[in-house]
Amino acid sequence: MTKTLVIDSPVRVNAPTSRRAFAVIRVLVGLLVLAALVTQITADLLHDSFTPGEYFSYFTIESSMMNVVVLLVGGAIAWRWDRDTELFTSVRVAILSYAVITGQVYNVLLRNIPGDGGYEPPRWCNEVMHVWVPVFILLDWMLAPGRARVPWKRLWLVISFPLAWLAFTMIRGAITLWYPYPFLEPAGPGGIPSLLVYVVGIAAFIIVVASAAIGLARLTARREVVAP
């Protein structure tokens, strides 16, 4: 009879070639996201259209800043270690969920909305943050080796940031009458019922993505079979 032991701590040995390949790509993609953010801010500053309080209130911007940190740290971990820690894998579940919802919301709800007539930063910045990076993060999650086993309780880690962001956005919007996305405006065409439908739908989508990611991590995390 055999016993299966689940290993959740990182193994500090030389990472295999496949891990190091993903490490390099993660660092490059992280730097690309950073370049997109810096380009947007610089372009807005040069055209006197940068409003920090609004710019840093967008979910896309906040999640993109997370992506920079997690991708660079993930590159370093994948280069040095044979596998990820459970905590870092849980963080990856979170940024995966945020990246997927960012891409979906932008491409389904926001891409064809006309601008307000003011200056708009280079289009490639939006494409990087809303299309290219979400696709990469999804592929990285599915294909990169070394995921740890993630407990189901980590779903709270995933949903906590969107809930905090939503609370802040709605309170700020009630005070300033500015909302980062049209579907969050209580005075919009559909009113509060429409707002609630979008919020519940997006929250459910995030939970589904995170649950699928955790399920995959639990299914494929490395196990050592120990003989009695």
Side-chain angles (χ1 to χ4, degrees):
M1 185 175 180
T2 61
K3 178 175 67 175
T4 299
L5 176 64
V6 179
I7 306 297
D8 284 329
S9 58
V11 179
R12 299 188 181 219
V13 298
N14 290 330
T17 302
S18 58
R19 283 273 288 175
R20 290 195 165 186
F22 276 98
V24 172
I25 299 173
R26 285 176 184 174
V27 170
L28 293 176
V29 175
L31 293 175
L32 178 63
V33 181
L34 180 60
L37 291 167
V38 171
T39 298
Q40 279 192 337
I41 294 172
T42 302
D44 282 343
L45 286 171
L46 292 175
H47 291 82
D48 296 322
S49 60
F50 182 61
T51 306
E54 294 182 0
Y55 182 81
F56 291 108
S57 294
Y58 284 96
F59 187 87
T60 297
I61 300 304
E62 295 182 9
S63 62
S64 292
M65 291 190 294
M66 292 182 193
N67 290 340
V68 172
V69 175
V70 175
L71 287 170
L72 294 181
V73 172
I77 290 175
W79 185 266
R80 295 183 56 197
W81 292 351
D82 187 43
R83 66 197 303 272
D84 298 334
T85 64
E86 181 267 314
L87 177 59
F88 184 72
T89 304
S90 300
V91 172
R92 287 185 62 205
V93 171
I95 70 159
L96 167 67
S97 305
Y98 306 156
V100 171
I101 196 61
T102 295
Q104 287 293 318
V105 169
Y106 175 76
N107 288 285
V108 173
L109 299 177
L110 302 174
R111 178 180 284 276
N112 296 319
I113 294 179
D116 58 5
Y119 171 75
E120 295 185 10
R123 182 175 293 273
W124 71 266
C125 299
N126 267 335
E127 295 300 308
V128 164
M129 290 186 280
H130 294 101
V131 181
W132 304 349
V133 170
V135 169
F136 169 75
I137 289 176
L138 178 60
L139 292 176
D140 181 64
W141 177 261
M142 295 174 63
L143 302 177
R147 285 187 300 266
R149 186 174 182 269
V150 179
W152 288 108
K153 65 182 180 181
R154 293 299 186 186
L155 276 174
W156 286 109
L157 173 67
V158 176
I159 200 64
S160 59
F161 170 70
L163 289 177
W165 176 86
L166 178 64
F168 167 80
T169 297
M170 301 312 296
I171 293 172
R172 184 179 188 276
I175 297 171
T176 65
L177 301 182
W178 179 86
Y179 297 87
Y181 303 107
F183 55 82
L184 291 179
E185 296 182 10
I192 293 180
S194 176
L195 183 155
L196 292 175
V197 168
Y198 280 116
V199 168
V200 172
I202 290 173
F205 189 80
I206 290 175
I207 292 173
V208 168
V209 173
S211 298
I214 291 175
L216 181 61
R218 294 175 67 86
L219 181 66
T220 61
R222 191 180 66 179
R223 292 169 171 82
E224 290 185 357
V225 178
V226 182

